[in-house]
């Protein structure tokens, strides 16, 4: 599945707002359009956001060079515009900083501007290709933890749609199935944006993987009945101690999993680690529009004018997490030690 990709006409993305009813693709020719697509969740999922931002920077630099603008000033404007779109997903800032380092290196070498534009596009394309390879590695490490015949609960969408094309949490499930394991999935609907209901179920059905959709408030019921063997979710930012920000409702699932002695795994690339934060208390939590809660598919389901709280993420404390699956292996408690080792590649 091509969630986001570069084309001669611009950055092409699948519109995740209208799935599963309509499979629509948009092509964006400017970095401002890419930024708006990230902001409005046309493209979503931390790794996919990072890839889209890298392509957006490449687009912006191409246009700046063609227009004869002051390139350093334009580059900074492009980066700031993209950085302002989604505050929680650290992959966004990781991708921007990687592109910035490449830009500064090229400038230091006095590379001609046209070649800088070409090199930044190549860097963005490398980020895209690396994300797919990374997800497959996450899948290989994570599949070892999933027993044959297991039923896996997942929350939100951490699949191909949330990445460049394979998935983190769903990558673990996909790999287990490719290895011949008989896996079934329970997918939380994930209110208010319904990523589980709309996206996760759609992906799994396309792959022929058995999936059962449940409401968010049904997870504890099925755990109590013994229907769930493990939980695998994605992440948008992971602090140095293992505290993990993911889609709102993940914390509730983790608490329920601990109560029922069910393993709770987080699957994410090393680029999702934010070791500058000692704990999850420092993770910025995005607040989104009230209409996402008061409406479903543009149909109002609440009284007009009602007060609404709509945090897009919550933070799951590290002591509720069994292990964090990355492309470099699985981190186990104490995460303050294991995550730094993985980040360092040791």
């Amino acid at each position: 599945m091509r969630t986001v990709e570069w084309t001669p006409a611009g950055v092409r993305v699948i519109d995740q707002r209208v799935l599963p009813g309509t499979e629509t693709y948009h092509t964006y020719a400017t970095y401002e359009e890419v930024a708006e697509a990230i902001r409005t969740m046309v493209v979503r999922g931390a790794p996919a956001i990072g890839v889209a931002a890298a392509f957006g920077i490449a687009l912006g630099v191409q246009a700046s060079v063609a227009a004869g603008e002051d390139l350093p000033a334009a580059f900074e404007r492009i980066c700031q515009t993209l950085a302002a779109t989604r505050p929680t997903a650290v992959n966004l800032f990781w991708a921007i900083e990687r592109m910035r380092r490449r830009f500064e290196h090229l400038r230091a070498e006095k590379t001609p501007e046209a070649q800088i534009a070409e090199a930044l596009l190549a860097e963005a394309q490398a980020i895209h290709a690396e994300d797919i390879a990374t997800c497959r590695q996450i899948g290989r490490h994570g599949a070892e933890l999933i027993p044959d015949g297991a039923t896996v609960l997942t929350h939100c969408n951490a699949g191909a749609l949330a990445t460049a094309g394979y998935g983190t949490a769903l990558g673990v499930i996909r790999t287990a199935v490719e290895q011949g394991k008989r896996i079934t999935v329970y997918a939380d609907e994930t209110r208010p944006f319904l990523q589980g209901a709309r996206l996760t179920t759609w992906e799994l059905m396309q792959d022929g993987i058995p999936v059962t959709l449940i409401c968010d408030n049904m997870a504890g019921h099925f755990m109590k009945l013994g229907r769930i063997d493990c939980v695998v979710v994605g992440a948008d930012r992971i602090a140095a101690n293992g505290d993990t920000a993911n889609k709102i409702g993940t914390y509730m699932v983790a608490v329920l999993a601990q109560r029922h002695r069910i393993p709770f795994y987080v699957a994410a690339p090393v680029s999702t680690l934010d070791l500058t934060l000692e704990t999850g208390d420092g993770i910025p939590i995005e607040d989104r529009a009230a209409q996402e809660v008061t409406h479903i598919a543009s149909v109002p389901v609440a009284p007009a004018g009602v007060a609404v709280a709509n945090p897009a993420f919550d933070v799951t404390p590290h002591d509720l997490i069994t292990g964090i699956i990355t492309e470099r292996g699985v981190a186990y408690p104490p995460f303050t030690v294991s995550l730094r080792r993985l980040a360092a590649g040791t």
Side-chain angles (χ1 to χ4, degrees):
M1 184 181 300
R2 294 288 186 173
T3 306
V4 53
E5 62 181 335
W6 181 269
T7 75
V11 182
R12 184 175 185 261
V13 303
I14 188 170
D15 191 338
Q16 301 193 36
R17 302 169 303 178
V18 297
L19 287 170
T22 306
E23 190 171 335
T24 300
Y25 291 83
H26 303 292
T27 301
Y28 300 112
T30 70
Y31 77 90
E32 294 98 334
E33 291 175 341
V34 173
E36 185 64 12
I38 296 172
R39 184 178 299 109
T40 58
M41 295 179 73
V42 173
V43 57
R44 48 147 297 281
I49 288 170
V51 172
F55 281 142
I57 291 172
L59 267 180
V61 169
Q62 284 187 351
S64 177
V65 170
E69 296 179 334
D70 178 72
L71 189 55
F75 183 84
E76 192 58 36
R77 181 182 72 247
I78 293 162
C79 290
Q80 289 180 2
T81 299
L82 288 158
T85 54
R86 301 291 303 276
T88 303
V90 75
N91 304 68
L92 168 66
F93 305 99
W94 171 86
I96 291 172
E97 286 308 307
R98 175 165 164 175
M99 295 292 283
R100 188 191 302 279
R101 288 194 301 272
R102 183 69 175 134
F103 176 75
E104 291 173 350
H105 176 75
L106 292 163
R107 289 274 301 166
E109 292 194 334
K110 302 188 184 308
T111 306
E113 291 187 349
Q115 293 180 24
I116 288 177
E118 293 175 0
L120 289 178
L121 173 57
E123 190 73 11
Q125 290 172 322
I127 290 172
H128 180 273
E130 289 167 17
D131 181 75
I132 296 174
T134 291
C135 287
R136 289 191 175 275
Q137 279 294 101
I138 290 171
R140 281 189 277 272
H141 290 298
E144 297 177 5
L145 305 174
I146 311 301
D148 185 22
T151 296
V152 181
L153 176 72
T154 191
H155 187 78
C156 194
N157 173 262
L161 291 167
T163 65
Y166 190 73
T168 53
L170 293 195
V172 170
I173 293 167
R174 283 190 169 101
T175 303
V177 171
E178 290 168 4
Q179 292 175 352
K181 293 180 179 179
R182 298 158 299 160
I183 306 297
T184 59
V185 179
Y186 272 47
D188 284 344
E189 62 178 348
T190 320
R191 280 282 289 150
F193 211 63
L194 299 174
Q195 295 97 320
R198 296 186 302 105
L199 307 178
T200 295
T201 58
W202 183 73
E203 282 197 39
L204 293 172
M205 290 175 72
Q206 295 240 330
D207 283 356
I209 298 173
V211 58
T212 298
L213 174 65
I214 62 173
C215 297
D216 293 353
N217 56 4
M218 296 177 184
H221 170 72
F222 286 109
M223 289 181 182
K224 185 178 180 182
L225 292 179
R227 302 273 187 88
I228 308 300
D229 297 299
C230 64
V231 179
V232 185
V233 300
D236 285 77
R237 190 183 298 231
I238 302 172
N241 71 338
D243 291 352
T244 296
N246 193 49
K247 186 54 57 184
I248 191 74
T250 303
Y251 171 50
M252 175 179 66
V253 174
V255 170
L256 288 166
Q258 186 182 70
R259 170 66 177 83
H260 295 91
R261 297 181 176 85
I262 296 170
F264 182 96
Y265 297 110
V266 172
V270 168
S271 59
T272 303
L273 302 180
D274 186 353
L275 301 184
T276 67
L277 298 179
E278 292 185 8
T279 73
D281 293 341
I283 297 176
I285 301 298
E286 176 186 3
D287 284 309
R288 293 190 61 81
Q291 187 169 344
E292 290 181 358
V293 176
T294 59
H295 291 64
I296 296 179
S298 300
V299 177
V301 295
V306 66
V308 172
N310 186 18
F313 305 92
D314 57 25
V315 176
T316 298
H318 63 278
D319 59 349
L320 298 179
I321 299 171
T322 307
I324 298 173
I325 307 162
T326 77
E327 70 272 28
R328 296 177 183 171
V330 183
Y332 294 102
F335 292 117
T336 50
V337 176
S338 59
L339 288 178
R340 288 194 181 278
R341 285 177 176 168
L342 287 179
T346 60

